[in-house]
Amino acid sequence: MKLMLCVMAGLIASSSAVWAEAACEAAWDKSKAYTGGQRVSHQSTRYEARWWTQGENPARSGQWDVWKSLGACAAEQQPVVAQLNVGGRVQVDAPNRVSYSWPGVYFEGRFRGTGIGLAFDDPNGQYNVEIDGQPKAKVVKPGKSTYWVNGLADGEHSVRVSLRGELTGTPGGFGGLVAATGGQVLAPAAAPTRQIEFIGDSYTAGLGAEAGKRDCTAEENTAFSNADVSFGALTARHYGAAYQLNGYSGLGMVRNYGGNIASVNYRTFYDRALTGVDGNVWTNPGNWKPQVVVVGLGINDFSTAVGAGEAYTPETLRTAYKSAYRGFINKLRGQYGDTHVIVSATYLWPDNKLQEVAQEVVAEAKAAGDQKISYFYYDGLDSLGCGWHPSVRDHQAISTKLVSAIDGLGVWR
């Protein structure tokens, strides 16, 4: 099996929406019950309930009805992270802007009305937009703009925005949802309690998955990448879990594809929210503690022969890889506690060293007393993604196998 991996490019140095005269209260929610004295905002006006109510529109209340008007409030948008369920690592730059780099970062929210605006600030990224769980649009390089989805049936809707690929250079930015005239941004659904993190390379990122061919131009490589069809996203959706896809193309645990850029490796960037910003550190908001972490690092370490002038020999590469992997697992234990780590490996041509060394990592960890670590292996891919990467069909097959493996762990019942 011939395997070609994309060499990394651009390596450089989780409420409702409120619009804040007096500050606006939380937006009125038709499904919520309110008692006397509770206050809400609706269509930039503040209201106070006189008695218990549910589903009665404040704007339709008269002088003797349940809602008492308290006057107008200024239109100030509540922070993005309060409007939406945010999946993946983001950096909060301002209340109305978050930035990010890792593939598959996503935003899920709810609104009422016939349309919704999506506030982008990204000159490079490509995004999937879903309304009520159905694909609605692919947004390419939106820049600083508000992308509108209009013409919907008047009522309550869900919206999902997801980054299709990686942004290893300039980070992307998102400013949240903008209600259409007469509409309203609603509180997001309750965040999932199940969480799973995927750590890896271009396979984890879903690079070139939609191509249906192996030979792609650089533009096609980007256009056909889609983190939403990756095995990680598919597996998380199967379990109804929140997820992170922390994949970086071309990087390995200790050695990168072809021995490139020996001064960095995957571990250089793992702690960052913005991968292309030296010194950047992702600040866990405290609500990210995955029950399962799937680590798939090693394809780039072992898929190309060690070349003359590299710091490794085939033997020392194996030793260094295992040592770094043990340290990385200890790091995960330190930041997430009693999580279950799955060490993932795939078939590599011609000698499949990755399978052997990944098995050794797990066996040695178990021998040392770690019983929350497992080995996961997959092969039989058609590799019909760009550059011999997994195709959509491959990702589905990998996810099916991984779901079976996770079910066997008894983590989620």
Side-chain angles (χ1 to χ4, degrees), residues 266-285:
Y266 181 88
R267 293 172 296 139
T268 306
F269 303 94
Y270 174 71
D271 288 333
R272 302 181 187 181
L274 310 180
T275 58
V277 179
D278 283 345
N280 183 261
V281 176
W282 174 61
T283 303
N284 189 334

Side-chain angles (χ1 to χ4, degrees), residues 185-411:
V185 178
L186 303 175
T193 57
R194 294 177 174 179
Q195 298 178 338
I196 183 168
E197 180 173 336
F198 298 87
I199 294 168
D201 45 42
S202 51
Y203 278 40
T204 298
L207 189 145
E210 295 180 332
K213 62 180 184 178
R214 294 163 180 153
D215 296 326
C216 299
T217 65
E219 290 76 15
E220 288 175 327
N221 198 61
T222 298
F224 290 133
S225 295
N226 186 359
D228 277 343
V229 303
S230 70
F231 69 87
L234 296 175
T235 301
R237 290 195 198 103
H238 172 84
Y239 289 110
Y243 62 94
Q244 291 186 359
L245 299 178
N246 298 325
Y248 200 129
S249 294
L251 299 184
M253 182 66 78
V254 296
R255 177 179 179 262
N256 304 323
Y257 180 81
N260 288 286
I261 316 181
S263 60
V264 299
N265 53 53
Y266 181 88
R267 293 172 296 139
T268 306
F269 303 94
Y270 174 71
D271 288 333
R272 302 181 187 181
L274 310 180
T275 58
V277 179
D278 283 345
N280 183 261
V281 176
W282 174 61
T283 303
N284 189 334
N287 60 358
W288 185 251
K289 192 174 181 181
Q291 295 91 1
V292 179
V293 179
V294 181
V295 187
L297 290 168
I299 297 173
N300 294 310
D301 297 83
F302 295 104
S303 62
T304 56
V306 176
E310 288 194 51
Y312 300 107
T313 66
E315 293 73 23
T316 61
L317 173 59
R318 189 179 189 123
T319 300
Y321 176 85
K322 289 167 60 176
S323 177
Y325 220 129
R326 287 194 296 269
F328 193 68
I329 292 169
N330 290 338
K331 177 184 179 67
L332 294 174
R333 295 273 184 242
Q335 65 188 29
Y336 294 144
D338 200 25
T339 187
H340 197 109
V341 176
I342 298 177
V343 174
S344 173
T346 186
Y347 173 81
L348 290 185
W349 179 90
D351 53 18
N352 212 9
K353 288 180 182 177
L354 177 57
Q355 181 186 34
E356 299 172 6
V357 73
Q359 286 176 313
E360 291 173 8
V361 168
V362 174
E364 291 170 8
K366 286 187 173 181
D370 188 348
Q371 299 307 307
K372 286 205 169 183
I373 187 167
S374 301
Y375 168 71
F376 172 68
Y377 179 76
Y378 59 93
D379 57 9
L381 308 183
D382 62 35
S383 302
L384 284 175
C386 291
W388 291 77
H389 281 77
S391 65
V392 171
R393 173 193 166 280
D394 289 338
H395 281 286
Q396 292 168 344
I398 297 168
S399 177
T400 297
K401 293 178 181 179
L402 183 55
V403 165
S404 179
I406 294 174
D407 283 349
L409 300 176
V411 177

